[in-house]
Amino acid sequence: MSMAAGLESLHYEFTGTQPAGAFAPVLVGVVGSGNLEVLLEAAPGATCRIDVSTSARGFGTIWEAVLRDFHARHPLAGVTVSINDMGATPAVVSLRLAQAAAELS
């Protein structure tokens, strides 16, 4: 975890069981008040790495719970997820992640 320019950076990594294979980058959402953008990119390996940049500092445990739930439903492998957040609620985070994962189907 690190903080720069008022943003907190969080990093998570999960072992996946569903290889995503090659795909064009997927972008959903917008960076704006109460919203976020999610970018999925293909990556080597069998993990799903999630990097979060958020304006809402101090919510690491909530982020971890939301991301663990997402990965339990979508155990992606070979994917890097980048999230740029401007104070989205956990429900909006889950929605955007599900939208991005649906683009891989």
Side-chain angles (χ1 to χ4, degrees):
M1 169 175 47
S2 64
M3 291 186 222
L7 297 177
E8 183 173 16
S9 295
L10 306 168
H11 308 283
Y12 304 91
E13 192 165 307
F14 303 98
T15 300
T17 57
Q18 294 178 350
F23 62 92
V26 173
L27 179 66
V28 297
V30 295
V31 179
S33 181
N35 208 338
L36 75 158
E37 71 177 9
V38 174
L39 174 66
L40 300 186
E41 297 174 286
T47 62
C48 178
R49 179 177 167 85
I50 304 175
D51 298 313
V52 179
S53 178
T54 179
S55 63
R57 295 186 304 259
F59 292 92
T61 55
I62 293 172
W63 275 104
E64 183 173 358
V66 169
L67 297 175
R68 283 190 182 281
D69 178 67
F70 166 75
H71 194 70
R73 289 180 286 114
H74 304 278
L76 300 172
V79 175
T80 296
V81 180
S82 300
I83 299 173
N84 293 308
D85 171 56
M86 290 299 290
T89 65
V92 172
V93 174
S94 293
L95 172 68
R96 293 289 179 239
L97 286 166
Q99 287 174 327
E103 292 291 320
L104 298 181
S105 306

